[in-house]
Coordinates of all heavy atoms in Angstrom, one line a residue:
M1 N 102.4 -4.3 118.7 CA 102.6 -2.9 119.1 C 101.4 -2.1 118.5 O 100.9 -2.3 117.5 CB 103.9 -2.2 118.5 CG 105.0 -2.7 119.2 SD 105.4 -2.0 120.8 CE 106.7 -0.9 120.3
K2 N 100.9 -1.2 119.4 CA 99.8 -0.4 119.0 C 100.3 1.1 119.3 O 101.2 1.2 120.2 CB 98.6 -0.7 119.9 CG 98.0 -2.0 119.4 CD 96.6 -2.3 120.1 CE 96.2 -3.6 119.7 NZ 94.7 -3.8 120.2
S3 N 99.6 2.0 118.7 CA 99.9 3.4 119.0 C 98.7 4.3 119.3 O 97.6 4.0 118.9 CB 100.5 4.1 117.6 OG 101.6 3.2 117.0
M4 N 99.1 5.1 120.3 CA 98.0 6.2 120.5 C 98.8 7.5 120.8 O 100.1 7.4 121.1 CB 97.4 5.8 121.9 CG 96.2 5.0 121.7 SD 95.3 4.5 123.3 CE 93.9 5.5 123.3
T5 N 98.1 8.6 120.6 CA 98.8 9.9 120.6 C 98.5 10.5 122.1 O 97.6 10.1 122.8 CB 98.2 10.9 119.6 OG1 96.9 11.1 119.9 CG2 98.4 10.4 118.3
C6 N 99.4 11.4 122.4 CA 99.3 12.1 123.7 C 97.9 12.7 123.8 O 97.3 12.5 124.8 CB 100.3 13.2 123.6 SG 100.2 14.4 125.1
K7 N 97.3 13.2 122.7 CA 95.9 13.7 122.7 C 94.9 12.6 123.0 O 94.0 12.9 123.9 CB 95.5 14.5 121.5 CG 95.6 15.9 121.4 CD 95.2 16.4 120.0 CE 95.6 17.9 119.8 NZ 95.7 18.3 118.5
Q8 N 95.0 11.5 122.4 CA 94.2 10.4 122.7 C 94.1 10.0 124.1 O 93.0 9.6 124.7 CB 94.4 9.2 121.8 CG 93.9 9.5 120.4 CD 94.3 8.2 119.5 OE1 95.5 7.9 119.3 NE2 93.5 7.7 118.9
L9 N 95.2 10.2 124.8 CA 95.4 9.8 126.3 C 95.1 11.0 127.2 O 95.7 10.9 128.3 CB 96.7 9.1 126.4 CG 96.9 7.8 125.7 CD1 98.3 7.4 125.4 CD2 96.2 6.7 126.5
G10 N 94.5 11.9 126.7 CA 94.1 13.1 127.7 C 95.1 14.2 127.7 O 95.1 14.9 128.6
G11 N 96.2 14.2 126.9 CA 97.3 15.1 126.8 C 96.9 16.1 125.8 O 95.7 16.5 125.6
A12 N 98.0 16.8 125.3 CA 97.8 18.1 124.5 C 98.4 18.2 123.1 O 98.5 19.1 122.4 CB 98.2 19.1 125.3
C13 N 99.3 17.0 122.8 CA 100.0 17.2 121.5 C 99.9 15.8 120.7 O 99.2 14.9 121.2 CB 101.4 17.4 121.8 SG 102.4 16.2 122.5
D14 N 100.4 15.9 119.5 CA 100.2 14.7 118.6 C 101.3 13.7 118.7 O 101.6 12.8 117.9 CB 100.2 15.2 117.2 CG 98.8 15.9 117.0 OD1 97.7 15.4 117.5 OD2 98.8 17.0 116.3
L15 N 102.1 13.7 119.8 CA 103.2 12.8 120.0 C 102.7 11.4 120.0 O 101.5 11.2 120.8 CB 104.0 13.1 121.2 CG 105.3 12.2 121.5 CD1 106.4 12.6 120.6 CD2 105.8 12.4 122.9
T16 N 103.3 10.4 119.4 CA 102.7 9.1 119.4 C 103.5 8.2 120.4 O 104.7 8.2 120.2 CB 102.8 8.5 117.9 OG1 102.1 9.5 117.0 CG2 102.1 7.2 117.8
F17 N 102.7 7.5 121.1 CA 103.3 6.4 122.0 C 103.0 5.0 121.4 O 102.0 4.8 120.8 CB 102.7 6.5 123.4 CG 102.9 7.8 124.0 CD1 101.7 8.5 124.2 CD2 104.0 8.4 124.3 CE1 101.8 9.8 124.7 CE2 104.1 9.7 124.9 CZ 103.0 10.5 125.1
Q18 N 104.0 4.2 121.5 CA 103.9 2.8 121.0 C 104.1 1.8 122.2 O 105.1 2.0 122.9 CB 104.8 2.5 119.9 CG 104.6 3.2 118.6 CD 105.5 2.6 117.5 OE1 106.7 2.7 117.7 NE2 104.9 2.2 116.5
A19 N 103.2 0.8 122.4 CA 103.3 -0.1 123.3 C 102.5 -1.3 123.1 O 101.8 -1.4 122.2 CB 102.8 0.5 124.7
N20 N 103.0 -2.4 123.9 CA 102.2 -3.7 123.7 C 101.0 -3.8 124.6 O 100.0 -4.6 124.3 CB 103.1 -4.9 123.9 CG 104.1 -5.0 122.8 OD1 103.7 -5.0 121.7 ND2 105.4 -5.0 123.1
S21 N 100.9 -3.0 125.6 CA 99.8 -3.1 126.5 C 99.3 -1.8 126.8 O 100.0 -0.6 126.7 CB 100.2 -3.9 127.7 OG 101.0 -3.1 128.5
F22 N 98.1 -1.7 127.4 CA 97.6 -0.3 127.9 C 98.3 0.3 128.9 O 98.6 1.4 129.2 CB 96.0 -0.5 128.2 CG 95.5 0.9 128.7 CD1 95.3 1.9 127.7 CD2 95.2 1.0 129.9 CE1 94.8 3.0 128.1 CE2 94.6 2.2 130.5 CZ 94.4 3.4 129.4
E23 N 98.7 -0.7 129.9 CA 99.5 -0.2 131.1 C 100.8 0.5 130.6 O 101.1 1.6 131.2 CB 99.8 -1.4 132.1 CG 98.6 -1.9 132.9 CD 97.5 -2.5 132.2 OE1 97.7 -3.0 131.0 OE2 96.4 -2.5 132.9
E24 N 101.4 -0.1 129.6 CA 102.7 0.2 129.2 C 102.5 1.8 128.4 O 103.3 2.7 128.7 CB 103.1 -0.7 128.0 CG 104.6 -0.9 128.1 CD 105.1 -2.0 127.1 OE1 104.7 -3.0 127.0 OE2 105.8 -1.6 126.2
I25 N 101.4 1.9 127.7 CA 101.1 3.2 126.9 C 100.7 4.2 128.0 O 101.2 5.4 127.8 CB 100.3 3.1 125.8 CG1 100.6 3.9 124.7 CG2 98.8 3.1 126.3 CD1 100.1 3.5 123.4
A26 N 100.0 3.8 129.0 CA 99.6 4.7 130.0 C 100.7 5.3 130.8 O 100.9 6.4 131.1 CB 98.6 4.1 131.0
A27 N 101.8 4.4 131.0 CA 103.0 4.8 131.7 C 103.8 5.9 130.8 O 104.3 6.8 131.4 CB 103.8 3.5 132.1
L28 N 104.0 5.4 129.6 CA 104.6 6.4 128.6 C 104.0 7.8 128.5 O 104.7 8.7 128.5 CB 104.7 5.7 127.2 CG 105.5 4.5 127.0 CD1 105.2 3.9 125.6 CD2 107.0 4.8 127.2
S29 N 102.7 7.8 128.5 CA 101.9 9.1 128.5 C 102.1 9.9 129.7 O 102.2 11.1 129.7 CB 100.6 8.8 128.1 OG 99.7 9.3 129.0
K30 N 102.2 9.2 130.8 CA 102.4 9.7 132.2 C 103.8 10.4 132.4 O 103.9 11.5 132.6 CB 102.1 8.7 133.3 CG 101.9 9.4 134.6 CD 101.6 8.3 135.6 CE 101.7 8.7 137.0 NZ 101.5 7.7 138.1
K31 N 104.8 9.6 131.7 CA 106.2 10.0 131.8 C 106.3 11.4 131.0 O 106.9 12.4 131.4 CB 107.0 9.0 131.3 CG 108.5 9.3 131.6 CD 109.4 8.0 131.2 CE 110.8 8.3 131.2 NZ 111.3 8.5 129.7
H32 N 105.8 11.3 129.8 CA 105.8 12.4 128.9 C 105.1 13.6 129.5 O 105.7 14.7 129.5 CB 105.1 12.0 127.5 CG 104.7 13.3 126.7 ND1 105.6 14.0 126.0 CD2 103.5 13.8 126.3 CE1 105.1 14.9 125.4 NE2 103.8 14.8 125.6
G33 N 103.9 13.4 130.2 CA 103.1 14.5 130.7 C 104.0 15.1 131.8 O 104.0 16.4 132.0
M34 N 104.7 14.3 132.6 CA 105.6 14.8 133.7 C 106.7 15.7 133.1 O 106.9 16.8 133.8 CB 106.1 13.8 134.6 CG 105.1 13.0 135.4 SD 104.2 13.9 136.5 CE 105.5 14.2 137.7
E35 N 107.3 15.3 132.1 CA 108.3 16.0 131.5 C 107.8 17.4 130.9 O 108.4 18.4 131.1 CB 108.9 15.3 130.2 CG 110.0 14.2 130.6 CD 110.3 13.2 129.6 OE1 109.9 13.5 128.4 OE2 111.0 12.3 129.8
M36 N 106.5 17.4 130.3 CA 106.0 18.6 129.7 C 105.6 19.5 131.0 O 105.7 20.7 130.9 CB 104.7 18.3 129.0 CG 105.1 17.6 127.7 SD 106.0 18.7 126.6 CE 107.4 17.8 126.2
F37 N 105.2 18.8 132.0 CA 104.8 19.6 133.2 C 105.9 20.4 133.7 O 106.0 21.5 134.1 CB 104.3 18.6 134.3 CG 103.9 19.4 135.5 CD1 102.7 20.0 135.7 CD2 104.6 19.2 136.7 CE1 102.3 20.7 136.9 CE2 104.4 19.9 137.9 CZ 103.2 20.5 138.0
Q38 N 107.2 19.7 133.8 CA 108.4 20.2 134.3 C 108.9 21.4 133.6 O 109.6 22.3 133.8 CB 109.5 19.3 134.5 CG 109.4 18.5 135.9 CD 110.0 17.2 135.9 OE1 110.8 16.8 135.0 NE2 109.7 16.4 137.0
K39 N 108.7 21.2 132.1 CA 109.0 22.3 131.2 C 108.1 23.5 131.2 O 108.3 24.6 130.7 CB 109.0 21.8 129.8 CG 110.2 20.9 129.4 CD 110.2 20.6 128.0 CE 111.3 19.5 127.7 NZ 111.0 18.9 126.4
G40 N 106.9 23.3 132.0 CA 106.0 24.3 132.1 C 105.1 24.6 130.8 O 104.8 25.7 130.5
D41 N 105.0 23.4 129.9 CA 104.3 23.6 128.6 C 102.8 23.9 129.0 O 102.1 23.1 129.6 CB 104.4 22.2 128.0 CG 103.7 22.4 126.6 OD1 104.3 22.9 125.7 OD2 102.5 22.0 126.5
K42 N 102.4 25.0 128.5 CA 101.0 25.6 128.8 C 99.9 24.5 128.4 O 98.9 24.3 129.1 CB 100.9 27.0 128.3 CG 100.0 27.8 129.1 CD 99.8 29.1 128.4 CE 98.6 29.8 128.9 NZ 98.0 30.8 128.0
A43 N 100.0 24.2 127.1 CA 98.9 23.3 126.6 C 98.9 21.9 127.6 O 97.6 21.5 127.8 CB 99.2 22.9 125.2
H44 N 99.8 21.5 127.9 CA 99.9 20.2 128.7 C 99.4 20.6 130.1 O 98.7 19.7 130.7 CB 101.3 19.6 128.7 CG 101.5 18.8 127.4 ND1 101.9 19.5 126.4 CD2 101.4 17.5 127.1 CE1 102.2 18.5 125.3 NE2 101.9 17.4 125.9
L45 N 99.7 21.7 130.7 CA 99.3 22.1 131.9 C 97.7 22.3 131.9 O 97.0 21.7 133.0 CB 99.9 23.4 132.4 CG 101.4 23.5 132.7 CD1 101.8 24.8 133.1 CD2 101.5 22.5 133.9
E46 N 97.3 22.7 130.8 CA 95.7 22.8 130.8 C 95.1 21.6 130.7 O 94.1 21.3 131.3 CB 95.4 23.8 129.5 CG 95.4 25.2 129.9 CD 95.2 26.1 128.6 OE1 94.6 25.7 127.6 OE2 95.7 27.3 128.7
A47 N 95.6 20.6 129.8 CA 95.1 19.4 129.7 C 95.2 18.6 131.1 O 94.1 17.9 131.4 CB 95.9 18.6 128.7
M48 N 96.2 18.8 131.9 CA 96.4 18.2 133.1 C 95.3 18.7 134.1 O 94.7 17.8 135.0 CB 97.7 18.5 133.6 CG 98.6 17.2 133.5 SD 100.2 17.5 134.2 CE 101.3 16.8 133.0
N49 N 95.1 19.9 134.1 CA 94.0 20.5 134.8 C 92.6 19.9 134.6 O 91.8 19.7 135.6 CB 94.0 22.1 134.8 CG 95.1 22.8 135.7 OD1 95.6 22.2 136.6 ND2 95.6 23.8 135.2
K50 N 92.4 19.8 133.4 CA 91.1 19.2 132.9 C 91.0 17.7 133.5 O 89.9 17.3 134.0 CB 91.0 19.2 131.5 CG 90.2 20.3 130.9 CD 90.0 20.2 129.4 CE 89.8 21.6 128.7 NZ 90.3 21.5 127.4
M51 N 92.1 17.0 133.4 CA 92.1 15.6 133.8 C 91.8 15.6 135.4 O 91.2 14.8 135.9 CB 93.5 15.1 133.5 CG 93.7 14.6 132.1 SD 92.5 13.3 131.6 CE 93.4 11.9 132.4
K52 N 92.5 16.6 136.0 CA 92.4 16.5 137.4 C 90.9 16.7 137.9 O 90.4 16.1 138.8 CB 93.2 17.8 138.0 CG 94.3 17.3 139.0 CD 94.9 18.5 139.7 CE 96.3 18.4 139.9 NZ 96.9 19.7 140.3
E53 N 90.3 17.7 137.1 CA 88.8 18.0 137.5 C 88.0 16.6 137.1 O 87.0 16.4 138.0 CB 88.3 19.0 136.5 CG 88.5 20.4 137.1 CD 88.2 21.4 136.0 OE1 87.2 21.4 135.3 OE2 89.0 22.4 136.0
L54 N 88.5 15.9 136.0 CA 87.8 14.7 135.8 C 87.8 13.6 136.8 O 87.1 12.9 137.1 CB 88.3 14.3 134.4 CG 87.2 13.4 133.5 CD1 86.4 14.4 132.8 CD2 88.2 12.8 132.4
M55 N 89.2 13.7 137.4 CA 89.5 12.6 138.3 C 89.1 12.9 139.7 O 89.8 12.5 140.7 CB 91.2 12.4 138.3 CG 91.6 12.1 136.9 SD 91.0 10.4 136.3 CE 91.3 10.4 134.4
Q56 N 88.1 13.6 139.9 CA 87.7 13.9 141.4 C 87.4 12.8 142.2 O 87.6 12.7 143.3 CB 86.6 15.0 141.4 CG 86.9 16.4 140.9 CD 87.8 17.1 141.8 OE1 88.0 16.9 143.0 NE2 88.6 17.9 141.1
T57 N 86.8 11.8 141.5 CA 86.3 10.5 142.2 C 87.1 9.3 141.6 O 87.6 9.3 140.5 CB 84.7 10.3 142.1 OG1 84.5 10.1 140.7 CG2 84.0 11.5 142.5
Q58 N 87.1 8.3 142.4 CA 87.8 7.1 142.1 C 87.0 6.5 141.0 O 87.6 5.9 140.0 CB 87.6 6.1 143.4 CG 88.7 6.3 144.3 CD 90.0 5.5 144.0 OE1 89.9 4.3 143.4 NE2 91.1 6.1 144.1
D59 N 85.7 6.6 141.0 CA 84.9 5.9 139.9 C 85.2 6.7 138.5 O 85.2 6.0 137.6 CB 83.3 6.1 140.2 CG 83.0 5.0 141.2 OD1 83.7 4.2 141.6 OD2 81.8 5.0 141.6
A60 N 85.2 7.9 138.6 CA 85.4 8.7 137.3 C 86.8 8.4 136.8 O 87.0 8.2 135.6 CB 85.4 10.3 137.6
M61 N 87.8 8.1 137.7 CA 89.1 7.8 137.1 C 89.2 6.4 136.6 O 89.7 6.1 135.4 CB 90.0 7.7 138.4 CG 91.4 7.8 138.0 SD 92.3 8.5 139.6 CE 93.8 7.6 139.2
K62 N 88.5 5.5 137.3 CA 88.3 4.1 136.9 C 87.6 4.1 135.5 O 88.0 3.4 134.6 CB 87.4 3.3 137.8 CG 88.0 2.0 138.1 CD 87.3 1.3 139.3 CE 87.2 -0.1 139.4 NZ 86.3 -0.5 140.6
E63 N 86.5 4.7 135.4 CA 85.6 4.8 134.0 C 86.5 5.4 133.0 O 86.6 4.9 131.9 CB 84.5 5.8 134.3 CG 83.2 5.1 134.0 CD 82.1 6.0 134.5 OE1 81.9 7.1 133.9 OE2 81.4 5.6 135.5
W64 N 87.3 6.4 133.2 CA 88.2 7.0 132.1 C 89.3 6.0 131.7 O 89.4 5.7 130.5 CB 88.9 8.2 132.7 CG 89.7 9.0 131.7 CD1 89.2 10.0 130.8 CD2 90.9 8.7 131.2 NE1 90.2 10.3 130.0 CE2 91.3 9.8 130.2 CE3 92.1 8.0 131.8 CZ2 92.6 9.7 129.7 CZ3 93.3 8.1 131.1 CH2 93.6 8.9 130.2
F65 N 89.9 5.4 132.7 CA 90.8 4.2 132.4 C 90.2 3.2 131.6 O 90.9 2.6 130.5 CB 91.4 3.8 133.7 CG 92.8 4.1 133.8 CD1 93.2 5.4 134.2 CD2 93.9 3.2 133.6 CE1 94.5 5.7 134.4 CE2 95.1 3.6 133.6 CZ 95.5 4.8 134.1
E66 N 89.0 2.7 132.0 CA 88.5 1.6 131.3 C 88.1 2.0 129.8 O 88.2 1.1 128.9 CB 87.2 1.2 132.0 CG 87.6 0.4 133.2 CD 88.6 -0.8 132.9 OE1 88.5 -1.6 131.9 OE2 89.6 -0.9 133.7
S67 N 87.6 3.2 129.6 CA 87.2 3.7 128.3 C 88.4 3.8 127.4 O 88.4 3.4 126.2 CB 86.4 4.9 128.3 OG 87.2 6.1 128.5
K68 N 89.6 4.3 127.9 CA 90.9 4.4 127.2 C 91.5 2.9 127.0 O 92.1 2.7 125.9 CB 91.8 5.1 128.0 CG 91.5 6.6 128.0 CD 91.4 7.1 126.6 CE 90.8 8.5 126.6 NZ 90.5 9.1 125.2
R69 N 91.2 2.1 127.9 CA 91.7 0.7 127.7 C 91.0 0.1 126.5 O 91.5 -0.5 125.7 CB 91.6 -0.2 128.9 CG 92.1 -1.5 128.9 CD 91.5 -2.4 129.9 NE 91.9 -1.9 131.3 CZ 93.1 -2.1 131.9 NH1 94.0 -2.8 131.3 NH2 93.3 -1.6 133.1
K70 N 89.6 0.3 126.5 CA 88.9 -0.2 125.4 C 89.4 0.3 124.0 O 89.4 -0.2 123.1 CB 87.4 0.1 125.5 CG 86.7 -1.1 126.3 CD 85.3 -0.7 126.5 CE 84.7 -1.5 127.7 NZ 83.7 -0.7 128.5
E71 N 89.5 1.7 124.0 CA 90.1 2.5 122.8 C 91.4 1.8 122.4 O 91.5 1.5 121.1 CB 90.3 3.9 123.1 CG 90.2 4.8 122.0 CD 90.2 6.4 122.4 OE1 89.6 6.6 123.4 OE2 90.8 7.0 121.7
F72 N 92.2 1.5 123.3 CA 93.6 0.9 123.0 C 93.3 -0.5 122.3 O 93.8 -0.8 121.4 CB 94.4 0.8 124.2 CG 95.8 0.2 124.0 CD1 96.8 1.0 123.4 CD2 96.0 -1.2 124.3 CE1 98.1 0.4 123.4 CE2 97.3 -1.7 124.0 CZ 98.2 -1.0 123.5
D73 N 92.5 -1.3 123.1 CA 92.2 -2.6 122.6 C 91.6 -2.6 121.2 O 91.9 -3.6 120.3 CB 91.3 -3.4 123.5 CG 91.9 -3.7 124.8 OD1 93.2 -3.8 124.8 OD2 91.3 -4.0 125.9
S74 N 90.8 -1.6 120.7 CA 90.1 -1.6 119.6 C 91.0 -1.1 118.4 O 90.8 -0.9 117.2 CB 88.8 -0.9 119.7 OG 89.2 0.6 119.8
M75 N 92.3 -0.5 118.7 CA 93.3 0.1 117.8 C 93.8 -1.1 117.0 O 94.0 -2.2 117.5 CB 94.3 0.9 118.5 CG 94.0 1.9 119.4 SD 93.4 3.3 118.5 CE 94.9 4.0 118.0
P76 N 94.0 -0.8 115.8 CA 94.8 -1.9 114.9 C 96.2 -2.0 115.3 O 96.8 -1.1 115.8 CB 94.6 -1.4 113.6 CG 94.4 0.1 113.7 CD 93.7 0.3 115.0
E77 N 96.7 -3.2 115.3 CA 98.1 -3.4 115.4 C 99.0 -2.6 114.4 O 98.6 -2.6 113.2 CB 98.5 -4.9 115.2 CG 97.8 -5.8 116.4 CD 98.7 -5.8 117.7 OE1 99.7 -5.4 117.6 OE2 98.0 -6.2 118.7
D78 N 100.0 -2.1 114.8 CA 101.0 -1.5 114.0 C 101.7 -2.5 113.1 O 102.0 -3.6 113.6 CB 102.1 -0.7 114.7 CG 101.6 0.7 115.4 OD1 100.5 1.0 115.0 OD2 102.3 1.2 116.2
K79 N 101.9 -2.1 111.8 CA 102.5 -3.1 110.9 C 103.9 -2.9 110.9 O 104.4 -1.9 111.2 CB 102.0 -2.9 109.5 CG 100.5 -3.1 109.5 CD 100.1 -4.1 108.4 CE 98.8 -4.6 108.6 NZ 97.8 -3.6 108.1
Ligands
LIG101 ZN1 102.0 15.7 124.7

């Protein structure tokens, strides 16, 4: 298992997600983001808007995903 925070994944808080793969942790962060969005959490809404701006092109999205995947891969395993 590895851990990354909401902030590390483009979010706005220090909530920690744990998963065995990047796909899994991305799904967890997305689910959390949607929950925060539904609650109307301002910090998360701002973070999401920033992400939206960043994700204007397929390439930008791919690049962001790959860089986060590398970050995840380079994280130490949880003990
Ligand atoms: Zn969050």
Side-chain angles (χ1 to χ4, degrees):
M1 291 281 259
K2 293 184 181 192
S3 307
M4 275 179 100
T5 64
C6 176
K7 255 183 200 161
Q8 281 176 304
L9 291 159
C13 69
D14 290 317
L15 186 73
T16 304
F17 306 110
Q18 286 185 309
N20 288 309
S21 71
F22 178 71
E23 278 69 23
E24 221 177 295
I25 212 158
L28 287 174
S29 115
K30 197 175 167 186
K31 189 169 168 265
H32 164 71
M34 290 304 286
E35 278 168 13
M36 289 296 120
F37 178 78
Q38 270 157 17
K39 280 184 191 164
D41 183 85
K42 213 179 155 207
H44 285 81
L45 288 180
E46 273 171 27
M48 261 180 216
N49 280 334
K50 264 190 209 154
M51 285 292 284
K52 242 193 215 164
E53 274 169 40
L54 209 79
M55 303 288 165
Q56 292 292 338
T57 66
Q58 278 273 319
D59 279 357
M61 202 161 146
K62 225 169 152 184
E63 240 167 67
W64 186 88
F65 246 79
E66 283 314 309
S67 78
K68 288 298 162 186
R69 187 194 299 276
K70 273 185 200 138
E71 206 174 318
F72 180 82
D73 286 343
S74 67
M75 299 291 277
E77 292 277 344
D78 285 350
K79 295 243 165 73

